[in-house]
């Protein structure tokens, strides 16, 4: 994906994410739309947003058709990305963070 080393943390619960977000500053935060069968981004975004310092928050989902995933601004996130587009999105974000990108993502931050 890139010739640069980067660090990725992975957790499966909001409580675990909050603990990491209190300890570390991140350049990008990815949040799966479905943390479980009952918890969607509508529930988890406010929790995670409260702990993020300045990193862009991106929702990733294998199904971006639900109404609440149609507008990143309304949901309170920077991007909503279909999982099939994740590699291109991450490559773009990494290159932008390294100053090698044009600042534009191949994934729109406009309603999808």
């Amino acid at each position: 994906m890139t010739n640069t080393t980067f660090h990725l943390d992975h957790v499966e619960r909001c409580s675990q994410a909050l603990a990491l977000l209190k300890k570390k500053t991140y350049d990008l935060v990815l949040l799966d739309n479905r943390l479980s069968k009952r918890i969607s981004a509508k529930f988890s975004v406010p929790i995670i947003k409260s702990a993020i310092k300045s990193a862009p928050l991106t929702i990733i989902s294998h199904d971006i058709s639900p109404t609440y995933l149609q507008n990143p601004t309304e949901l309170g996130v920077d991007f909503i990305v279909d999982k099939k587009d994740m590699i291109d999105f991450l490559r773009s974000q990494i290159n932008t963070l390294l100053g090698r990108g044009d600042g534009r993502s191949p994934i729109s931050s406009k309603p999808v």
Side-chain angles (χ1 to χ4, degrees), residues 3 15 19 22 27 44 47 60-61 70 82 86 88 100 109-110:
N3 61 356
S15 58
K22 287 179 183 176
D27 294 316
S44 54
I47 294 168
I60 58 173
S61 183
Q70 297 307 300
D82 191 307
M86 279 304 299
D88 290 336
R100 295 188 295 212
S109 60
K110 297 180 289 187

Side-chain angles (χ1 to χ4, degrees), residues 12 32-41 43 62 68:
E12 295 183 13
D32 197 312
N33 178 43
R34 293 283 181 190
L35 296 178
S36 73
K37 291 180 183 180
R38 297 174 293 194
I39 298 175
S40 72
F43 174 80
H62 73 282
Y68 66 92

Side-chain angles (χ1 to χ4, degrees), residues 4 12 20 23 31 33 45 53 57 67 72 85 88 96 101:
T4 302
E12 295 183 13
L20 279 177
K23 292 179 188 176
L31 177 61
N33 178 43
V45 163
K53 294 167 183 69
L57 177 57
T67 305
D85 298 321
D88 290 336
T96 298

Side-chain angles (χ1 to χ4, degrees), residues 46-89:
I47 294 168
I48 299 302
K49 282 284 285 193
S50 70
I52 292 177
K53 294 167 183 69
S54 63
L57 177 57
T58 301
I59 298 299
I60 58 173
S61 183
H62 73 282
D63 178 12
I64 58 171
S65 66
T67 305
Y68 66 92
L69 292 178
Q70 297 307 300
N71 187 326
T73 304
E74 201 171 289
L75 187 58
V77 301
D78 298 284
F79 302 100
I80 296 172
V81 179
D82 191 307
K83 286 184 180 178
K84 68 179 173 47
D85 298 321
M86 279 304 299
I87 297 298
D88 290 336
F89 175 78

